[in-house]
Structures are given as structure tokens and as C-alpha cells.
Amino acid sequence: MSDNAQKLYYPPESLAKNAAVPGMEAYQALVKQAETDYEGYWANHARNLLDWKKPFTKVLDESNAPFFKWFDDGELNVSYNCIDRQVNNGLGDKVAIIFEADDGQVTKVTYKDLLSRVSKMANALKSVGVAKGDRVVIYLPMSIEGIVAMQACARIGATHSVVFGGFSAQSLRDRIESSSAAALITSDGQFRGGKALPLKPIADEALAMGGCESIKKVLVVKRTGTEVNMTAGRDVWLNDILAEQPETCEPEWVGAEHPLFLLYTSGSTGKPKGVQHSSGGYLLHAMLTMQYTFDIKPDDVFWCTADIGWVTGHTYIAYGPLACGATQVVFEGVPTYPDAGRFWKMIQNHKVSVFYTAPTAIRSLIKAADANEAVHPDRYDMSSLRILGSVGEPINPAAWEWYYENIGGSRCPIVDTFWQTETGGHMITPLPGATPMVPGSCTLPFPGIQAAVVDETGLEQPWGQGGILVVKRPWPSMIRTVWGDPERFKTSYYPADFQGKYYLAGDGAIRDIDTGYFTITGRIDDVLNVSGHRMGTMEIESALVAHEKVAEAAVVGRPDDTTGEAIVAFVVLKGPRPSEADAPAVIKELSAWVAKEIGPIAKPKDIRFGENLPKTRSGKIMRRLLRQLAKGEEITQDTSTLENPAILDQLKG
Ligand code: 6R9
């Protein structure tokens, strides 16, 4: 053991005994199985976990690498696997969804109800001309309808593309154009924190921008009751057409590789990428991770607090829990309304047993609990909890320990799940009945996932030495391509640096010298992680320079206690640098502009003005310097190559 060996937290024996993976020997046995017969390992799971209309005979097809195919000649339907088979197996009356609205109202949906709601929605989509292979953009709040809409697309073989309800008209327009979607499903508005916020008006604005001509129908859910414009011939109230639909809808059987969904995510360059996922391989990993990582059992009440606009809300709300026949909580609101005890109260009220949230939420709730004893978790009965999860960004050890002690009562393992939009499901994570945990480490690869840390040439690094995180073999739930841009898929994820052999995650990692545990050290590209949301610095820069007053902009991240990273923008205006008195108004204007161009999540926390940006004599922006300035660090490095060292003072902030 090295001197800095960390304290290990062990899974409680009672949990380990009955867990799907009951201990490290069981984990190692699975890893071994996958190593000795990689295809056999995945094929077995695929046969055991999924219901196939037509069984597959091929497992992995690598003939057109890196465009890998899994279970290609098999046929299935994802919605059938999530809903019909539960009903067929006697779970019709089991509660699938406990929906809690922003105002606290609770609605329960059984699997039988869900089947009829999804079938009606599927029929409604067909009635307005949506067919297998079409794309459908879903711009909805957290709602039963959101999940039903996703499932309905899957049922008829349409490919959904969910756009987070916090995104702007511009972002929505870009995603509609890129996917050339046939229909848009939205709502009049959404409730968040006691306020009714608009959605349909934003959708109208997006559709009016041009580039959205592919959209033939807009289906509108009534949620807030706010009055909205309805364009005749194009816009339809969903409630009206749902009422006319038959309650059954034969699932459309599709090939395993049929695209289940696109989800746009930020990269280091250009516009967001449409990550394309498959049907069979994706659902397999959604289910397997529900079983191994969350140890989901028939009596569990699962709650993932993500939004369906992100991948976590796809895999661990819309698909994984349903495919396992679980009962899950779905929450419309925000963790701080009516007060910061909301999550704990909901855990108590719904007897949640598996709780999955993001470090940024935990950190802000720690602050709130410290400030106000009335919302401290010790005021609530959370004895129903048995497993906790974390996702979206690294969890700092202090937040991990607070989560462990105050929420989990020092008895619930925390699964710190590392994964990405592109990976479809968990990649590196503790298993709750097996893996001894270390706060801040996502520990070991999920059985069957061959993760490694390499140098720039692809050479595996010794433990204790940091490097680049890669995955050495294709896995069933991986991204299939970037929608409409296969070349970008190749260069982003299978770069020539590794001879196209390894999947490049885009994160740095280091393995512990004693345990081999992985710790993610952060993105190695120009992607920021703000409150667990991925943002490309380029995207924010493009938004800023699109403003009429801005000549140039550079965006960097700086560590932030609550949001993980915060956005700092360095801006050069076309006119003179604003005086101290004028700056606040310009900052406000630019912030509002970014919110409008991308969405409020992309607003810079700090905007600073200079007459120029620090550049080398060849004109390159020195981002490393900007990162130091953003953090408020003294510039110690040699700035003699700078063309204009004086402007550093202006940008100090
Ligand atoms: C699921 C999701 C992916 C990026 C990823 C990494 C960061 C996610 C993490 C984590 C450390 C964890 N990330 N989980 N970093 N520990 N447990 O978040 O997908 O939105 O695509 O973000 O998030 O940097 O590359 P996505």
C-alpha cells in the first residue's frame, strides 16, 4: 500500500448477499467471462434480458469498423420490451410511474395504463402521418407525456430526438433542421418552481426561423393552460386527437440496429452532434446496468432526478426502469421548490429505495441544509433508501461523504457512474453489492467494458500515471454514428492517433496505483461541464460573436464550488472597452443574448472586457493564460511572446 492509500467503504453484507453481483469474486468472474468469450458474454445477456421477435444469429459485426453492428439480424420492439411484456407477465397492475408535479400533486400510472397511453399516442402519431424511420422532435417538460411520447415513437419505429425544455428557439431550430424531423411534440408550457414557463411560443419562434420545413405537424400537450397560438393545419391539441385513438397498437418490429433515438450533445468544435443510438444493443445495456449497477428488485422504488432532455433521462427514466418492470418516481419540478427539502421529502413520501442524482444538486443542497436546519435531511425519514447513485461529473470527496452519511445513513453504497451520451449507459462504476468504494473514484469498468488509460500514441499507461481514457472494444450500447455526419463520428471517436482502434471518451483519467481504480480527471477537449451539463466553449463563443456589439470572444471554464465548472467569457467589443460604470449593463445584455441563443444554462457566470485578447505573435489566443486569469491566479509564466501583455491587467476581473 502506498502512503496515500484512501479509506475504502464496503458494501453492507445484507445488501451484498442478495445483490445481482454479490461480491468481488462474482464481479471478477463476469469480467473473466467477457474477456474469454466477448461475444458470447453479450449474446447471453441479450438472449436472457430481451424479448426478440426474431432471434439474432450474428452478435458483433466489425466488418465496417468503426461503424459496429450488434445483433444485426435480430428483430424486436423496444416499447414491447418495456411495457407489453410486463403486462403479459402479470405486472399490469404494478405502478410503473409515480409522477409528482411541481405543485406536489401525485399521479400513478400502472403498466396497463401505460400500455394504453403509449398505444394511443402511437396511433395519434400514425394518424398525423408519422411513419417508421421518421424523426420526431420532442420538446416537453418532465411529464408522463414525455415518457409516453418517447415510448410511442419506439413503438412505431420512429426515431425520437428529445430537446431539453431549457433550450432556446435557436437551439431547437438547429436540432429540428439537422434531423429533418417530420413532427414536433411540445406543450403549451411547463411548471418549474411555482412558475408557468412558455414552451409552445418558443417552438413557434423556432419554426418561424426557417430550416424547419420538414415539420408537418406540431402536437401540443395542454399543461399550464396558458393561451397559445395554434397554426391551422399544422398545430393540433394532443388531448383532442388522443381521445379518438384506439387503445391498442401493434408494435412495429424493427432490426436491432434501427435508430431508436438521436440526442444532440456538445463537442469541442462546431454545432452539437446528433448522437445516434440503436434499439437492441442500447436497451440491453439499459437493462443490464439497471440490474448490476442499481441492483433493481421487484419491490424497489427507483428515482432518477435527471430530465428526459439528457441521456440520463433516456436510459434511466424512459427505458431502463420500464424494461425491468420497476416502479419509478418521475418529478416535474426543481429540488429547491417549495424549499430545499423537496428531494428528501419525496424520498420519504414515496419510500424511494434507489436514488440517482448529480453532484451539483448534492452540493447545492448541502449549502441549503447548512444554512437552514428546516431543510436538513435529518428532518426526514429516508430509511427506505438502500442504494445511492451519482452521475454527470466527478463527485468531490466531501460531497460524497455528506451524501453517504446524511442521505444514505452510512448504510447505502454510492455508485459513482461514469458514462456519456455516446456510451448509452454506465461504463465505469462500482457495483453496490461488490465494489469497495473510494470517494471521488468511479472505481472499475462495468463487466464487459474494456476501459483503459493510454498516452497520446495509444500505449497503455502504468497505474498511477494519468492519461487519456479509451475503450478498447466496441460494446452494444455505443453511439452508432453522428447523424448525417459519419466522418465526424470517425474523427471524434475513433481518431487516427490510435489507428482507429480505440473509442476516445474525451476525458482524462488516472488509475490508482494500489487498486487500479479509475478517477476521471476532466475533459481533455474544449468541453465544459456546468452543473453536469455539457457545453462546448466554441458554441458559447459563436453565440457571443453573433451579437452586434461583440468583435471577439474567448470562453474558458473555472472550478466552481456548486456547479463544478463555471463559464468565464473574455470579450472584445467592436466599440471601446466599457467603463466600470457601463460594464454591468453590457454584461446583462450579453448574458441575456447567450440565454436566447443557446439557453439559460449557457449563460457565463463572469464576463470580462479587454481591448484585445492575449495572443501570441502568430495570433493564437492563449487559452491557458485565460484559464489562469479566470481562476484569479497570478500569471507567473513568461508572457514575452504575447503581442500585447498590457491587456492581461484589463482581463484580471
Ligand atoms: C451521463 C452523462 C458526459 C461527460 C463525461 C465526463 C462527465 C459523467 C461522470 C463524469 C466523472 C462521473 N461525467 N459522469 N465525470 N465522474 N461519474 O453525464 O453524459 O452529458 O454526455 O456527459 O460528463 O466528463 O465525458 P453527458
Side-chain angles (χ1 to χ4, degrees):
M1 279 262 170
S2 60
D3 291 345
N4 61 357
Q6 288 147 309
K7 180 179 168 195
L8 293 174
Y9 289 75
Y10 288 88
E13 238 169 76
S14 55
L15 193 150
K17 217 169 47 204
N18 299 310
V21 183
M24 281 312 271
E25 296 79 50
Y27 168 77
Q28 294 299 356
L30 289 167
V31 170
K32 185 111 210 160
Q33 252 179 47
E35 259 163 26
T36 19
D37 178 11
Y38 192 67
E39 291 190 27
Y41 170 84
W42 288 112
N44 273 338
H45 282 309
R47 288 193 187 101
N48 294 337
L49 294 178
L50 300 178
D51 276 22
W52 296 88
K53 180 72 176 176
K54 178 170 165 254
F56 58 88
T57 60
K58 283 186 273 185
V59 183
L60 169 61
D61 177 355
E62 299 185 85
S63 60
N64 187 27
F67 300 92
F68 302 105
K69 290 179 179 168
W70 284 90
F71 321 120
D72 192 28
D73 62 346
E75 283 178 13
L76 79 172
N77 179 280
V78 167
S79 164
Y80 177 89
N81 271 273
C82 290
I83 311 174
D84 305 55
R85 69 165 166 171
Q86 320 302 2
V87 175
N88 297 345
N89 289 338
L91 296 181
D93 291 323
K94 181 171 179 177
V95 172
I97 295 172
I98 304 171
F99 176 72
E100 183 164 319
D102 190 55
D103 68 1
Q105 202 181 324
V106 174
T107 310
K108 292 187 178 172
V109 181
T110 64
Y111 275 95
K112 215 160 58 190
D113 299 337
L114 191 61
L115 180 58
S116 106
R117 291 180 73 148
V118 169
S119 301
K120 281 183 163 187
M121 181 78 87
N123 289 326
L125 285 170
K126 286 205 263 187
S127 78
V128 298
V130 176
K132 176 181 175 183
D134 284 345
R135 270 80 54 217
V136 173
V137 169
I138 298 175
Y139 187 57
L140 282 175
M142 281 301 289
S143 52
I144 299 168
E145 287 82 2
I147 298 167
V148 167
M150 293 163 84
Q151 285 284 340
C153 288
R155 195 163 190 91
I156 63 172
T159 300
H160 61 69
S161 170
V162 181
V163 177
F164 174 56
F167 274 129
S168 67
Q170 182 69 48
S171 298
L172 176 61
R173 189 217 78 99
D174 292 349
R175 285 157 175 77
I176 290 173
E177 183 184 45
S178 162
S179 62
S180 53
L184 169 67
I185 308 179
T186 187
S187 67
D188 49 1
Q190 57 179 333
F191 286 114
R192 281 175 80 80
K195 287 197 262 307
L197 305 171
L199 274 182
K200 176 67 164 56
I202 300 174
D204 287 339
E205 203 186 322
L207 294 174
M209 281 177 178
C212 301
E213 292 71 26
S214 59
I215 297 281
K216 297 289 175 289
K217 284 283 174 208
V218 179
L219 307 179
V220 189
V221 175
K222 193 165 261 166
R223 175 66 187 113
T224 54
T226 323
E227 208 169 303
V228 295
N229 288 324
M230 296 293 279
T231 301
R234 186 195 72 183
D235 302 353
V236 189
W237 286 109
L238 243 177
N239 311 52
D240 292 346
I241 55 166
L242 281 176
E244 304 158 5
Q245 303 306 321
E247 284 199 22
T248 58
C249 172
E250 175 66 13
E252 181 79 39
W253 306 105
V254 299
E257 282 296 318
H258 184 73
L260 178 64
F261 67 86
L262 312 180
L263 186 57
Y264 285 78
T265 190
S266 295
S268 39
T269 55
K271 294 223 177 237
K273 305 176 265 205
V275 171
Q276 180 182 319
H277 276 289
S278 70
S279 297
Y282 171 79
L283 192 65
L284 167 62
H285 204 52
M287 278 193 78
L288 191 61
T289 50
M290 282 299 298
Q291 298 196 346
Y292 284 0
T293 313
F294 293 126
D295 190 41
I296 198 79
K297 295 278 196 295
D299 292 336
D300 273 320
V301 176
F302 180 78
W303 183 18
C304 164
T305 68
D307 190 284
I308 51 165
W310 311 113
V311 73
T312 307
H314 281 59
T315 310
Y316 300 107
I317 295 178
Y319 293 111
L322 299 177
C324 293
T327 295
Q328 69 173 324
V329 173
V330 174
F331 178 40
E332 178 180 42
V334 296
T336 48
Y337 178 80
D339 61 39
R342 184 71 182 264
F343 274 6
W344 322 139
K345 190 171 178 192
M346 285 180 61
I347 290 171
Q348 167 182 286
N349 288 356
H350 301 301
K351 301 203 166 28
V352 172
S353 56
V354 183
F355 180 64
Y356 192 31
T357 196
T360 187
I362 297 166
R363 286 192 298 263
S364 69
L365 296 174
I366 293 175
K367 276 196 187 159
D370 284 349
N372 177 7
E373 175 55 30
V375 297
H376 196 281
D378 62 16
R379 291 288 184 97
Y380 301 87
D381 175 10
M382 293 189 288
S383 56
S384 54
L385 286 170
R386 59 184 202 96
I387 293 167
L388 302 174
S390 172
V391 61
E393 54 184 314
I395 179 164
N396 48 307
W400 193 102
E401 274 155 17
W402 187 91
Y403 194 29
Y404 187 77
E405 286 162 21
N406 291 280
I407 308 306
S410 301
R411 83 185 172 271
C412 307
I414 298 179
V415 289
D416 175 2
T417 61
F418 168 83
W419 61 295
Q420 311 175 291
T421 304
E422 295 87 341
T423 69
H426 303 154
M427 298 301 279
I428 309 180
T429 177
L431 303 184
T435 322
M437 292 156 287
V438 172
S441 167
C442 52
T443 74
L444 295 170
F446 190 86
I449 300 298
Q450 300 193 353
V453 178
V454 301
D455 69 8
E456 296 76 34
T457 64
L459 203 68
E460 208 152 332
Q461 297 283 72
W463 292 4
Q465 207 152 310
I468 300 165
L469 181 66
V470 296
V471 185
K472 298 204 284 189
R473 298 219 60 187
W475 66 101
S477 66
M478 68 186 298
I479 172 176
R480 292 307 195 260
T481 187
V482 171
W483 178 259
D485 200 349
E487 212 31 57
R488 194 166 174 205
F489 166 73
K490 268 205 232 174
T491 51
S492 306
Y493 303 108
Y494 282 89
D497 319 28
F498 309 134
Q499 295 80 47
K501 276 194 324 207
Y502 293 162
Y503 168 84
L504 177 71
D507 284 286
I510 185 166
R511 301 190 67 168
D512 182 80
I513 200 153
D514 298 315
T515 54
Y517 278 11
F518 289 73
T519 291
I520 305 298
T521 51
R523 299 287 304 191
I524 53 171
D525 51 14
D526 290 321
V527 170
L528 305 182
N529 192 324
V530 182
S531 296
H533 302 320
R534 264 167 79 168
M535 303 289 336
T537 52
M538 275 266 300
E539 268 175 87
I540 307 168
E541 288 167 8
S542 311
L544 282 166
V545 296
H547 189 281
E548 55 177 17
K549 286 189 184 155
V550 176
E552 214 180 351
V555 166
V556 300
R558 112 176 138 216
D560 184 278
D561 277 354
T562 307
T563 57
E565 264 186 308
I567 301 168
V568 182
F570 297 92
V571 173
V572 183
L573 296 182
K574 285 177 185 159
R577 178 171 181 256
S579 66
E580 228 166 273
D582 293 343
V586 190
I587 288 170
K588 214 168 146 199
E589 187 179 344
L590 295 183
S591 267
W593 174 262
V594 172
K596 196 163 158 40
E597 286 287 293
I598 304 172
I601 52 171
K603 273 200 217 172
K605 180 152 188 189
D606 188 355
I607 298 183
R608 302 180 192 176
F609 300 100
E611 278 155 16
N612 203 339
L613 297 173
K615 289 177 192 152
T616 61
R617 282 174 210 277
S618 62
K620 279 208 184 74
I621 296 174
M622 297 180 78
R623 286 173 185 277
R624 199 158 41 92
L625 261 181
L626 290 177
R627 277 192 278 270
Q628 282 187 297
L629 285 171
K631 278 195 239 172
E633 285 174 3
E634 268 316 303
I635 307 293
T636 47
Q637 73 190 93
D638 177 18
T639 52
S640 59
T641 57
L642 264 183
E643 201 202 338
N644 43 1
I647 62 115
L648 291 184
D649 279 336
Q650 297 180 350
L651 297 173
K652 266 189 183 148

